[in-house]
Amino acid sequence: MASDKSPAPQLKSASGRRLQNRDRLESDILLQAVRVFAESGYEGASIATIAERAGLSKQNLMYYFPSKQQLYQRVLDDVLDDWLARMDLLAHPDDEPGDVLRAYISAKLRFSREQPWASRVYALEVINGAPLYGGQIRDRVVPLLRKDIAVFEQWIAAGRIAPVNATHLMFTIWAMTQSYADFSAQMALVLDRKQLLRRDFDEAEQLITRMVLAVVAVPDLTGEKKPP
Amino acid sequence: MASDKSPAPQLKSASGRRLQNRDRLESDILLQAVRVFAESGYEGASIATIAERAGLSKQNLMYYFPSKQQLYQRVLDDVLDDWLARMDLLAHPDDEPGDVLRAYISAKLRFSREQPWASRVYALEVINGAPLYGGQIRDRVVPLLRKDIAVFEQWIAAGRIAPVNATHLMFTIWAMTQSYADFSAQMALVLDRKQLLRRDFDEAEQLITRMVLAVVAVPDLTGEKKPP
DNA sequence: GTCTATAATGGGATAGAC
DNA sequence: GTCTATCCCATTATAGAC
């Protein structure tokens, strides 16, 4: 995480504290930045707003992040890092397809619940056609999605799940789970609450899991009815 | 469509042509505006860009739409008008649930295919928390969604479909169909094409329909296997 | 209705003192 | 590393001639 090129090992405590301070400031800035970018988009977000919320001056912020674009790309990098780390679940293609799918849906929904701003910033970029981040998506996200789709296809070839269009199955799982972050404002209006509750996510998880398992014809063992 | 308050009936052809001209200019502007707003968001879009693409000067555009906000709200109004007109399908709750669901999914996907910019502008607004358009969403969209959800619940109560969470069923249908407009850039990258093809939408429709019908336990009669 | 000119604002970025 | 001051540019919006 932190760069390892500290040139003054003799003052370890002081420089360490300084480094810690800098890291803390940077993460404060990034925490506010992801929210502001999610609320207003790249152009709509202003450095001044981010700085104000993080409790420092605009010019001081620009000491840590020399340009708005660099800050934005760093925000997206962190979003991807977090998401990719959580989504390494389909790396076990030999497990039960039902278990893997359940875990995948659960992890993706959890990301929507815990990091809604991250999800939204990424969505905004994709909707706009990924003008600033298309390269990273091509290099980091697309290969992962393709790998997951290949796993689905192996399962189909081995007769472990019913034949479906694996690519679109991935797209729909992505769409359903993602929307609980991106469209939560509209969902909250329909449900007549200020924001989505844990319960809503649990109910969503149950339904999405049932839909996916039903279409690939894997017995649904989640919940209510248990074998006697 | 055109306003009927023409004050000079004696010059019907001239004033009519003028009115026609104005309408044509307005619709040209709106056509470009929805694209630019979809590509860059509200703040990122500039009047100058819209005017340039529509083939007139920035100041001239502002003669027809006195402010950026008014233009934006008019764009969103038109998006909603189009969408609401197409989505009046669940108004026939006595038809076969399977037929209604098929038609609904098909119409929503068609909207994503034919009006991707409209879909994206709306999505951008919702993701940002609907700061400028929340009132209209509450007044026009939410009641419609609630009505559709109530239809699902009537079907469940009558035993015509399996018991599911009707609200989240609506959310997932919305999510899956919407994403074929909003996330088409990423989908195209995964599929290694410049843009989605008609075929992709057809395959999506098949899978989404199968998923929805499977989870509500309605026999799926779409396609491949027909009774002899 | 369309043009030129211009206000007025806001935001990103830089320079330099401390 | 943090602050003050400032530059520079893009953009919305208005005024007024034709």
Side-chain angles (χ1 to χ4, degrees):
Chain A
M1 273 266 145
S3 56
D4 291 325
K5 37 188 168 173
S6 33
Q10 71 278 17
L11 278 179
K12 194 132 199 285
S13 71
S15 78
R17 199 176 312 123
R18 210 166 327 163
L19 250 181
Q20 202 181 344
N21 236 337
R22 185 190 179 101
D23 282 354
R24 206 174 165 281
L25 247 177
E26 277 197 8
S27 73
D28 279 357
I29 294 170
L30 288 165
L31 182 68
Q32 300 304 323
V34 70
R35 299 187 186 207
V36 175
F37 281 127
E39 285 166 13
S40 316
Y42 175 71
E43 314 268 1
S46 88
I47 301 268
T49 304
I50 298 168
E52 189 188 8
R53 292 207 201 168
L56 71 167
S57 73
K58 173 172 74 165
Q59 300 89 335
N60 199 0
L61 186 154
M62 297 193 77
Y63 171 75
Y64 294 98
F65 296 93
S67 82
K68 187 181 182 180
Q69 267 213 32
Q70 281 173 56
L71 174 58
Y72 180 67
Q73 304 219 353
R74 171 67 184 277
V75 163
L76 280 172
D77 285 342
D78 288 1
V79 168
L80 267 196
D81 286 344
D82 188 4
W83 180 71
L84 293 175
R86 293 162 179 248
M87 289 295 112
D88 228 0
L89 290 164
L90 282 187
H92 306 289
D94 297 329
D95 292 358
E96 269 309 306
D99 293 338
V100 176
L101 287 168
R102 262 187 287 268
Y104 189 85
I105 291 165
S106 182
K108 187 90 174 41
L109 267 179
R110 190 159 167 240
F111 185 69
S112 288
R113 177 164 56 84
E114 295 179 351
Q115 304 289 341
W117 303 283
S119 210
R120 284 175 208 140
V121 171
Y122 184 82
L124 290 174
E125 176 70 11
V126 173
I127 292 176
N128 290 338
L132 295 172
Y133 209 67
Q136 288 290 309
I137 292 176
R138 208 187 50 240
D139 295 343
R140 298 184 67 193
V141 180
V142 168
L144 192 90
L145 290 175
R146 287 212 181 113
K147 202 193 73 184
D148 292 345
I149 291 166
V151 171
F152 291 165
E153 282 166 349
Q154 285 164 27
W155 287 345
I156 293 169
R160 303 180 71 192
I161 64 173
V164 294
N165 187 311
T167 306
H168 289 278
L169 179 62
M170 194 67 215
F171 288 168
T172 55
I173 293 175
W174 178 290
M176 290 189 283
T177 52
Q178 181 88 14
S179 76
Y180 279 85
D182 303 344
F183 279 79
S184 64
Q186 181 168 279
M187 292 176 178
L189 281 176
V190 172
L191 291 166
D192 204 15
R193 26 185 85 115
K194 278 185 68 177
Q195 55 177 2
L196 297 185
L197 307 175
R198 175 63 191 256
R199 209 186 93 208
D200 300 315
F201 282 90
D202 291 342
E203 290 173 357
E205 183 171 339
Q206 221 175 58
L207 180 65
I208 295 169
T209 304
R210 280 178 61 184
M211 290 177 78
V212 171
L213 296 190
V215 84
V216 298
V218 167
D220 179 10
L221 305 173
T222 52
E224 52 268 41
K225 52 198 163 193
K226 46 215 150 269
Chain B
M1 274 267 145
S3 56
D4 291 327
K5 38 186 166 172
S6 34
Q10 71 280 16
L11 277 181
K12 194 137 197 283
S13 70
S15 78
R17 198 175 313 124
R18 209 167 326 164
L19 250 183
Q20 202 180 345
N21 236 338
R22 184 190 180 101
D23 282 354
R24 205 172 167 281
L25 247 178
E26 277 198 8
S27 73
D28 280 356
I29 294 170
L30 287 165
L31 182 68
Q32 300 305 323
V34 69
R35 299 187 186 206
V36 175
F37 281 127
E39 286 166 11
S40 316
Y42 175 72
E43 315 267 1
S46 87
I47 302 268
T49 304
I50 297 168
E52 189 189 8
R53 293 205 201 169
L56 71 167
S57 74
K58 171 173 73 167
Q59 299 89 334
N60 199 0
L61 187 155
M62 297 194 78
Y63 171 76
Y64 294 99
F65 297 94
S67 82
K68 188 181 180 179
Q69 266 215 30
Q70 281 173 56
L71 174 59
Y72 180 67
Q73 303 219 353
R74 171 67 184 276
V75 163
L76 280 172
D77 285 341
D78 288 1
V79 168
L80 266 197
D81 286 345
D82 187 5
W83 181 72
L84 292 176
R86 292 163 179 248
M87 288 295 113
D88 227 0
L89 290 165
L90 282 188
H92 306 287
D94 296 330
D95 292 0
E96 269 308 306
D99 293 338
V100 177
L101 287 168
R102 262 187 287 269
Y104 189 85
I105 292 165
S106 183
K108 188 89 174 44
L109 266 179
R110 191 160 166 241
F111 185 69
S112 289
R113 177 165 56 83
E114 294 179 351
Q115 303 289 341
W117 304 283
S119 210
R120 285 177 207 137
V121 171
Y122 184 81
L124 290 173
E125 176 70 12
V126 173
I127 291 176
N128 290 337
L132 296 171
Y133 210 67
Q136 287 291 309
I137 292 176
R138 209 187 50 240
D139 295 344
R140 298 185 66 194
V141 179
V142 168
L144 192 88
L145 290 176
R146 287 212 182 114
K147 201 193 73 186
D148 293 345
I149 291 166
V151 171
F152 291 165
E153 282 165 350
Q154 285 163 28
W155 287 344
I156 293 170
R160 303 180 70 192
I161 64 172
V164 294
N165 187 310
T167 306
H168 289 279
L169 180 62
M170 193 68 215
F171 289 168
T172 56
I173 293 174
W174 178 290
M176 290 189 283
T177 52
Q178 181 89 13
S179 76
Y180 279 85
D182 304 343
F183 279 78
S184 65
Q186 181 167 279
M187 292 175 178
L189 281 176
V190 172
L191 291 165
D192 205 15
R193 26 186 85 114
K194 279 184 67 176
Q195 55 177 2
L196 296 185
L197 307 175
R198 174 64 191 256
R199 209 187 94 209
D200 301 315
F201 283 90
D202 290 342
E203 291 173 357
E205 183 171 340
Q206 222 175 56
L207 180 64
I208 296 170
T209 304
R210 281 178 60 186
M211 289 177 78
V212 171
L213 296 190
V215 84
V216 299
V218 167
D220 179 11
L221 305 172
T222 53
E224 51 269 41
K225 54 203 160 189
K226 47 212 149 269

